[in-house]
Amino acid sequence: MPFTTVARAGAVLRPLGRTLTYTRWLHLLLASVVGVVTGFVQPDIFRHLGTQWLWMAVLPVPLLLSAAAVPGMRAVEGVQARLLVLPHPHARYGAGARPSPVTTAPSANWADRLRTAAWLLFRLETGVLVSALTVHLPLLALALGRNTTAHTGPAPTAFGPLGAPHWWYVLLAPWPLVVLMAVVVGAGAGTAAVARRLLGPSAADRLAALEERTARLLEHNRLAQELHDSIGHALTVMVVQAGAAQAGGGPEFRDRALATIEDTGREALTDLERALRLLREGVPPAGGPGLGEVGRLLASAESAGATVRAEVTGPVGELPDAVSREGYRMVQESLTNVLRHAGPVPVSVRVAADRTGVELEVRNALPDRPGRGPGGGRGLRGMRERAALLDGTFEAGPRDGHWRVAARLPARPLG
């Protein structure tokens, strides 16, 4: 047998080995259940062989149209389609981790309801047809297999009497089953295509998904910035302290440096636990350092060898939590940049709060060696993003022989 013939035969038979073929078949068979249930309202329809399936395809139509008006019906059908019709991981069929092309969101408008109604009608009519063939084609195959000798009388079927027995009926017996499987495979593929069209996400669904994905990315970006600022600051202070203790200074200096490293490490662990809790639970934990605790940042910078001149004025403790928290991180990142790029140089920090917001300014002498200024990195970009998030302003750059970072964070969004 030529290889191409074997390959074609394998391609034809391959759907019969897929679990998805039989889950789609089950999905279509379940669609006819509503026809059976509504048929009990008129029991006489089951007495007329040949027309009972027609009644099962007609009687449920008003019920399905009414059900399509319920927003949750779209979600129910979407879940069924994901599990039984489309190549989704839940279907145990090798489709990888691709996102499902159907939605499980309730109907948001009448356009969604109309698409749901069209889907329900398609599923009903296709399901009744497949159910009828599932019942009668195997019976026809059985009748053909039995009606091969004169010892058996003509066998009636839903397709009409077979007539006089013939031995060659046994050759026709498998063909109803072949037709049935072809119908099952074709109807399943057609149902999947229609599901993508009628149960796929609408424009509103795609916009909502995009907004959700954007919010998730922004949250991840905020978390990365938190880790960058808090852990980066702690590691910078610890490295500077460890280097100073190793370079010299007496036992008292080394003890003070070790104590600073310990305190800084504890604070870093607290920040890390807060970030990990956000990852585990998905909900930002309450609390977090604010500008009311800016003193510990100044003490940390001083312990690292910097000379800090601070000016904190106004009701810092009355600022909104978001403004206070973001302002704290901006001062923290500014001091980290000073220690990392300029070393233990004199630093001036100004925090001025009032009812309208808070002004932040961190200034330090530029390093002697060119190119070591604290510019252009991820820290400055992160501070700029924090200010923009609160509708504030931010600027950084050299001025009058100093590196200056300045920000204004309004207590309320600007007009």
Side-chain angles (χ1 to χ4, degrees):
M1 184 179 294
F3 176 78
T4 55
T5 303
V6 175
R8 290 174 182 173
V12 171
L13 297 177
R14 190 175 298 118
L16 301 182
R18 293 175 176 172
T19 304
L20 190 61
T21 298
Y22 302 97
T23 59
R24 288 173 174 174
W25 191 1
L26 175 61
H27 183 263
L28 291 172
L29 294 178
L30 291 175
S32 63
V33 172
V34 65
V36 176
V37 173
T38 54
F40 288 121
V41 180
Q42 297 288 339
D44 291 342
I45 70 171
F46 294 110
R47 299 177 183 174
H48 303 286
L49 187 65
T51 61
Q52 57 181 346
W53 296 102
L54 178 61
W55 283 110
M56 289 172 60
V58 173
L59 285 178
V61 170
L63 177 63
L64 294 180
L65 292 178
S66 301
V70 179
M73 182 57 65
R74 181 169 179 247
V76 171
E77 292 297 319
V79 170
Q80 291 186 65
R82 281 191 177 188
L83 294 175
L84 299 176
V85 177
L86 294 167
H88 191 263
H90 292 298
R92 298 178 180 272
Y93 172 54
R98 292 179 296 174
S100 177
V102 300
T103 181
T104 56
S107 298
N109 47 50
W110 282 105
D112 291 342
R113 292 179 174 89
L114 290 176
R115 295 170 68 197
T116 304
W119 163 255
L120 290 175
L121 293 180
F122 169 83
R123 185 184 173 192
L124 171 68
E125 308 306 333
T126 307
V128 169
L129 174 62
V130 172
S131 298
L133 295 177
T134 300
V135 171
H136 292 294
L137 285 177
L139 294 178
L140 177 60
L142 181 62
L144 287 170
R146 295 178 57 188
N147 201 36
T148 57
T149 66
H151 299 291
T152 59
T157 67
F159 304 94
L162 292 179
H166 294 285
W167 66 268
W168 45 265
Y169 277 0
V170 72
L171 301 178
L172 300 179
W175 286 103
L177 301 180
V178 173
V179 172
L180 174 61
M181 297 312 300
V183 170
V184 167
V185 172
T191 301
V194 175
R196 291 185 179 92
R197 186 68 177 265
L198 297 180
L199 295 180
S202 61
D205 294 327
R206 288 191 291 270
L207 179 60
L210 178 61
E211 291 176 348
E212 180 181 357
R213 186 161 55 251
T214 301
R216 187 164 57 250
L217 290 175
L218 288 175
E219 188 61 36
H220 289 171
N221 185 62
R222 190 181 73 82
L223 176 60
Q225 188 63 44
E226 288 285 327
L227 290 175
H228 174 273
D229 292 350
S230 60
I231 306 301
H233 174 79
L235 291 177
T236 299
V237 171
M238 293 167 69
V239 168
V240 171
Q241 287 289 337
Q246 187 178 16
E252 182 180 352
F253 179 81
R254 284 196 296 270
D255 290 343
R256 189 166 59 251
L258 291 175
T260 301
I261 291 174
E262 181 181 7
D263 293 340
T264 304
R266 292 183 187 278
E267 294 172 4
L269 287 176
T270 300
D271 291 336
L272 180 60
E273 177 61 30
R274 185 179 294 110
L276 293 178
R277 183 181 173 190
L278 173 61
L279 285 176
R280 287 193 301 263
E281 302 177 6
V283 178
L291 284 175
E293 305 173 61
V294 73
R296 75 179 189 179
L297 291 178
L298 305 178
S300 177
E302 287 178 339
S303 66
T307 302
V308 180
R309 182 172 60 86
E311 179 185 351
V312 181
T313 60
V316 175
E318 299 178 7
L319 291 170
D321 291 342
V323 173
S324 182
R325 183 174 59 251
E326 299 301 324
Y328 178 92
R329 293 302 186 193
M330 294 175 74
V331 173
Q332 183 182 57
E333 177 61 21
S334 298
L335 293 175
T336 301
N337 283 339
V338 172
L339 296 174
R340 181 182 298 154
H341 299 287
V345 298
V347 184
S348 65
V349 178
R350 185 174 70 89
V351 179
D354 55 31
R355 295 181 178 179
T356 62
V358 63
E359 291 184 3
L360 308 172
E361 184 183 53
V362 179
R363 298 170 62 98
N364 65 276
L366 289 172
D368 296 333
R369 288 181 294 175
R372 287 194 67 205
R378 181 67 183 87
L380 290 181
R381 185 163 66 250
M383 287 189 282
R384 186 172 289 106
E385 291 172 358
R386 290 180 186 276
L389 184 65
L390 296 174
D391 208 3
T393 59
F394 174 83
E395 57 178 311
R399 176 180 293 188
D400 301 329
H402 291 78
W403 182 268
R404 176 177 177 269
V405 173
R408 167 73 184 176
L409 306 179
R412 297 178 179 83
L414 297 177

